[in-house]
Amino acid sequence: MNFTNEHLEELIALRRTLHSQPELAGKEVETAKKIKAYLTSCQPAEIIENIAGHGLLAIFKGNEPGKNILLRADMDALPISELNDFYYKSKNPGVSHKCGHDGHSAILAGVAKMLSLQPIKKGNVCLLFQPAEETGEGAEKVLEDPKFCDWYFDRVFALHNLPGFAKNTVIIRKNHFAAASKGMIISLTGKTSHAANPEHGISPALAVSEIIRHFTDLSIDTSKFKAFKLITIVHVRMGEKAFGTTPGFAQVMATLRSYRNDDMELLTSYAVNIIRSIADKFDLQERVQWTEEFPASVNDGDSCEMVSIVASENKLQVIEINEPFRWSEDFGHFLIKYPGVLFGIGAGEKYPKLHNPDYDFPDDIIRTGITMFDGIVRKFQ
């Protein structure tokens, strides 16, 4: 029995159900239940639950020894209010699937259906439904989870839908595919005073302005780095809303971004040194915290070639991008440990962008995603 239009309609229905009931990173309880119910109907050898929180691992085994391959989809949604008004729009206020993880999960569920219809002969295929991708925590926690870390994989693969490219095209790049990024939270503590006597206090105001200026200079400095890097100031808060009091505290939040992991280490070092120097200059106490850390996604050349071959065999156009994407994906953690690929499926050249409030995953690329993943599995046996 082959994969039919009826199977596709089931997956579209699953995708739209997930879309209507989105859950944020670390809270994917109902999402996992719905995915597990579908996976159970595909009769994998085993389903391991509660990986790194609410993650699922469906294992399909061949009858003969062989290699282990991991395919991964993400499950979490974003804290964005949906502007769409179709019948399956988000029912959870302020939360919606604006990155297409509902579609990625539907694709991987479709691979489970393919593996149930046409079982593999050798090795193991593991389908990971990963939580908490958007915060950069999920992949790392999966790799540290005792229920997962005993596995070894010969290859790992993931995909992401990509607006801006023609539908059902396959987008790849050898080596660096998506950027590293991390959130930096800078806290500066001085001393308040009466606004009539600012000389009696220690205000962080000038320090904040210098940090912004130095970070801007560092962003445009090409002499110290091998490739693209960027520091973006995303939020500044200082003092209280009190006209009689000078500020005694400030917080600056910035995103550091680079194509290369070694450049990220260097950028981090320069940024921290800037903070310490400026804090000393203005007699401030400083504290730096990090959040939402994503390594660069670095693709293996042989695995990229496999993706290209599978796409060509299925008459899908392959687009090799010249530069890595500036956005980040925590699948980079898997690519540090194992050879593999993060590749893209075009969502439409004029399609709403990822993280936009009017975005919705295009159902007509689900079959292409399944075809690519299933073709990779068969090619790798």
Side-chain angles (χ1 to χ4, degrees), residues 61 84 86 89 92 110 151 199 230 237 252 262 299 307 321 341-342 365 368 372:
K61 297 183 176 182
N84 298 315
F86 36 61
K89 69 180 180 180
N92 297 337
W151 278 90
E199 69 275 11
L230 178 69
R237 180 171 67 88
V252 180
D262 52 358
N299 287 339
V307 170
I321 55 173
V341 166
L342 172 64
I365 71 171
T368 296
M372 285 300 303

Side-chain angles (χ1 to χ4, degrees), residues 165-294:
F165 294 87
K167 281 187 179 179
N168 298 307
T169 53
V170 175
I171 300 95
I172 61 169
R173 189 178 193 276
K174 294 180 181 178
N175 298 318
H176 295 85
F177 184 80
S181 69
K182 60 171 64 173
M184 185 182 199
I185 304 170
I186 306 155
S187 299
L188 301 171
T189 303
K191 186 174 69 172
T192 60
S193 70
H194 197 289
N197 297 100
E199 69 275 11
H200 295 163
I202 303 174
S203 171
L206 292 177
V208 168
S209 66
E210 285 206 17
I211 288 169
I212 294 172
R213 179 171 60 83
H214 279 78
F215 277 10
T216 301
D217 291 343
L218 185 59
S219 286
I220 62 177
D221 183 354
T222 59
S223 65
K224 301 180 178 68
F225 302 90
K226 296 176 181 177
F228 165 84
K229 49 78 188 73
L230 178 69
I231 302 181
T232 304
I233 303 296
V234 296
H235 182 71
V236 177
R237 180 171 67 88
M238 185 171 67
E240 304 298 335
K241 295 177 181 179
F243 288 99
T245 307
T246 62
F249 175 82
Q251 189 173 78
V252 180
M253 299 173 68
T255 302
L256 280 62
R257 198 173 298 275
S258 66
Y259 284 161
R260 299 174 58 96
N261 288 323
D262 52 358
D263 277 345
M264 177 56 75
E265 292 181 11
L266 194 58
L267 187 63
T268 298
S269 177
Y270 278 120
V272 169
N273 288 338
I274 286 170
I275 298 304
R276 289 174 178 168
S277 176
I278 292 174
D280 287 344
K281 177 180 176 180
F282 291 99
D283 197 24
L284 297 163
Q285 296 180 13
E286 49 82 15
R287 183 186 181 197
V288 176
Q289 298 167 277
W290 301 100
T291 187
E292 299 192 12
E293 299 187 52
F294 296 79

Side-chain angles (χ1 to χ4, degrees), residues 22-319:
E23 296 173 301
L24 294 174
K27 299 179 179 180
E28 309 92 338
V29 178
E30 296 303 318
T31 302
K33 287 180 181 178
K34 291 175 177 62
I35 293 172
K36 184 192 174 186
Y38 186 90
L39 292 175
T40 300
S41 72
C42 299
Q43 299 182 315
E46 185 178 4
I47 299 176
I48 303 175
E49 299 181 71
N50 300 319
I51 294 176
H54 305 295
L56 298 167
L57 187 70
I59 302 167
F60 291 83
K61 297 183 176 182
N63 293 323
E64 303 174 26
K67 296 178 179 179
N68 296 330
I69 185 170
L70 175 75
L71 308 179
R72 173 275 214 170
D74 30 26
M75 302 193 301
D76 54 328
L78 284 158
I80 298 173
S81 296
E82 181 156 40
L83 290 183
N84 298 315
D85 198 31
F86 36 61
Y87 75 89
Y88 58 89
K89 69 180 180 180
S90 172
K91 296 177 182 177
N92 297 337
V95 182
S96 57
H97 273 292
K98 295 301 161 192
C99 205
H101 295 183
D102 51 343
H104 301 165
S105 292
I107 287 170
L108 202 59
V111 177
K113 178 61 70 175
M114 286 291 292
L115 291 170
S116 70
L117 297 172
Q118 300 175 24
I120 55 171
K121 296 179 180 179
K122 299 179 180 179
N124 299 298
V125 178
C126 295
L127 309 182
L128 173 65
F129 295 82
Q130 181 205 300
E133 188 281 329
E134 293 290 357
T135 59
E137 300 171 305
E140 193 169 25
K141 287 184 177 180
V142 167
L143 289 166
E144 294 171 351
D145 193 308
K147 294 187 288 294
F148 183 89
C149 62
D150 285 341
W151 278 90
Y152 172 82
F153 298 101
D154 296 278
R155 304 268 177 175
V156 295
F157 295 88
L159 62 76
H160 207 293
N161 78 97
L162 296 178
F165 294 87
K167 281 187 179 179
N168 298 307
T169 53
V170 175
I171 300 95
I172 61 169
R173 189 178 193 276
K174 294 180 181 178
N175 298 318
H176 295 85
F177 184 80
S181 69
K182 60 171 64 173
M184 185 182 199
I185 304 170
I186 306 155
S187 299
L188 301 171
T189 303
K191 186 174 69 172
T192 60
S193 70
H194 197 289
N197 297 100
E199 69 275 11
H200 295 163
I202 303 174
S203 171
L206 292 177
V208 168
S209 66
E210 285 206 17
I211 288 169
I212 294 172
R213 179 171 60 83
H214 279 78
F215 277 10
T216 301
D217 291 343
L218 185 59
S219 286
I220 62 177
D221 183 354
T222 59
S223 65
K224 301 180 178 68
F225 302 90
K226 296 176 181 177
F228 165 84
K229 49 78 188 73
L230 178 69
I231 302 181
T232 304
I233 303 296
V234 296
H235 182 71
V236 177
R237 180 171 67 88
M238 185 171 67
E240 304 298 335
K241 295 177 181 179
F243 288 99
T245 307
T246 62
F249 175 82
Q251 189 173 78
V252 180
M253 299 173 68
T255 302
L256 280 62
R257 198 173 298 275
S258 66
Y259 284 161
R260 299 174 58 96
N261 288 323
D262 52 358
D263 277 345
M264 177 56 75
E265 292 181 11
L266 194 58
L267 187 63
T268 298
S269 177
Y270 278 120
V272 169
N273 288 338
I274 286 170
I275 298 304
R276 289 174 178 168
S277 176
I278 292 174
D280 287 344
K281 177 180 176 180
F282 291 99
D283 197 24
L284 297 163
Q285 296 180 13
E286 49 82 15
R287 183 186 181 197
V288 176
Q289 298 167 277
W290 301 100
T291 187
E292 299 192 12
E293 299 187 52
F294 296 79
S297 295
V298 184
N299 287 339
D300 168 66
D302 290 342
S303 301
C304 273
E305 189 65 27
M306 187 184 303
V307 170
S308 294
I309 291 171
V310 171
S312 297
E313 288 177 349
N314 287 280
K315 297 180 172 54
L316 298 169
Q317 181 186 358
V318 177
I319 299 173

